[in-house]
Amino acid sequence: MTLSQKISSKLARKIKYLFRELCYGLGFYKNFYRSARGSRILLYHGICEHDHLKFNTLFLTRKTFESHLKFYKKHFNVLSLDEYYQQKFSCNRFNVCLTFDDGFANNHKYVLPLLEQYEIPATFFITAIQVAGYDILWNDFLSIAGKYGPAKFNFKDEAYVKDRHNKYLSTDNGISLAEKLRFTGFDKKAEMIKVLHPLVPFKTKKQDEDYWLQMTTRQIRELSASPFATIGAHGYYHNDLAKINIREAAEELALTKQYLENIIERPVSSFAFPYGSYTTDVVEVAKNCGYEQLLATAFINKKDNDDITMRERLTVNPFISVSNQMYATVTGSYE
Ligand SMILES: [Zn+2]
């Protein structure tokens, strides 16, 4: 696609979204939602009070999330993940199931009270990064370093410079550090944190905690005690299981299950692949560990549609309005 084609398709989408927004405001979509049928699992990440795009493109404000919940109550049927797998769908409404990845403390702080207030269930996919001695995921650390860290730094005999999107790129080949680290185990990521941590004074900025702080063991336990929350696993270190060696991936899958089950004292049977990334081997290993619900984003193989353990999810888009998000939730596409 040429640059002018890209610009015109972006503009066309913007006009479509504005038009839809206007129609929704005029009440033209009442019948659309009344007659919508089907089901969708939604993927949320962090929730914060303000400035939701400050460090990444996955957060929503609490106010927007609450608007989603109000919309679900009014127009949709919300199921738990277990009910979704058991296909306990409403025939008279569109069905949605809410999931949260990454185990942010903000899920405990903002999401849990809202789920209880609106009596809506959700599943939270959490890593074991706490037990590894960290209160932040490596990729969130890198996002924050991109904002507050030095313009240039050296790591493993390679120089990295920030681009205009605050991403560190190698001066040798232009590949981002985040992308390179996706292909490594946690040891190299831990080394990166060790090198950059003294240069990134983000922990002094208390107001930023909502964007990165992981849940404590106590918070995971409190979340699990709610009738509206289920705990699932999301890898030990938040490594990309499709890119690291399969023996390490198998170990991570097993250890995360054990870690979470010890905390919440009940079985953990669902797993969400970090970055939605998996291979056929990773799926097999996950099943051998005892996971019965495997959550991807988009499937990589056609045959995954026939696998009763696997489901796709739609990632919530923080750049669009509530009505456009709800339209995409029903259609399954942001086009
Ligand atoms: Zn994740």
Side-chain angles (χ1 to χ4, degrees), residues 106-221:
N106 63 51
N107 289 181
H108 174 271
K109 186 174 170 186
Y110 302 123
V111 179
L112 180 60
L114 286 171
L115 296 181
E116 296 196 319
Q117 183 186 336
Y118 288 90
E119 301 189 324
I120 282 179
T123 299
F124 297 85
F125 291 99
I126 299 170
T127 68
I129 203 69
Q130 287 279 341
V131 81
Y134 295 84
D135 56 7
I136 184 169
L137 295 179
W138 73 271
N139 48 298
D140 291 325
F141 175 80
L142 211 42
S143 300
I144 288 181
K147 182 120 180 148
Y148 296 132
K152 189 176 178 180
F153 81 107
N154 290 317
F155 177 59
K156 296 264 169 199
D157 300 327
E158 224 174 325
Y160 290 89
V161 287
K162 259 194 239 179
D163 72 356
R164 64 192 174 93
H165 304 294
N166 285 335
K167 281 194 168 69
Y168 283 111
L169 305 182
S170 161
T171 53
D172 284 355
N173 47 34
I175 300 173
S176 78
L177 179 57
E179 181 58 20
K180 283 185 178 208
L181 289 171
R182 284 275 285 269
F183 289 85
T184 74
F186 190 69
D187 288 355
K188 203 164 177 189
K189 291 158 184 152
E191 279 181 59
M192 174 276 292
I193 294 174
K194 205 172 164 188
V195 170
L196 262 181
H197 202 277
L199 309 172
V200 187
F202 69 101
K203 288 200 175 172
T204 56
K205 300 177 198 299
K206 207 68 184 149
Q207 74 278 16
D208 284 343
E209 262 184 18
D210 275 351
Y211 301 101
W212 59 268
L213 189 65
Q214 289 283 298
M215 261 186 268
T216 62
T217 307
R218 181 182 57 77
Q219 288 168 333
I220 296 171
R221 210 173 279 129

Side-chain angles (χ1 to χ4, degrees), residues 2 13 57 139 183 229 279:
T2 65
R13 191 179 301 142
T57 56
N139 48 298
F183 289 85
T279 61

Side-chain angles (χ1 to χ4, degrees), residues 278-293:
Y278 65 97
T279 61
T280 312
D281 286 347
V282 170
V283 167
E284 199 184 313
V285 166
K287 286 179 188 172
N288 289 341
C289 285
Y291 291 109
E292 292 161 359
Q293 299 163 341

Side-chain angles (χ1 to χ4, degrees), residues 45 101-102 137 234 238 274-275:
H45 287 84
D101 279 11
D102 290 357
L137 295 179
H234 194 46
H238 206 245
Y275 319 99

Side-chain angles (χ1 to χ4, degrees), residues 126-132 137 234-239 241 251-257 259 271 274:
I126 299 170
T127 68
I129 203 69
Q130 287 279 341
V131 81
L137 295 179
H234 194 46
Y236 202 85
Y237 300 108
H238 206 245
N239 280 330
L241 301 184
E251 202 172 64
E252 270 208 43
L253 281 152
L255 287 176
T256 318
K257 193 171 192 298
Y259 165 75
F271 189 90

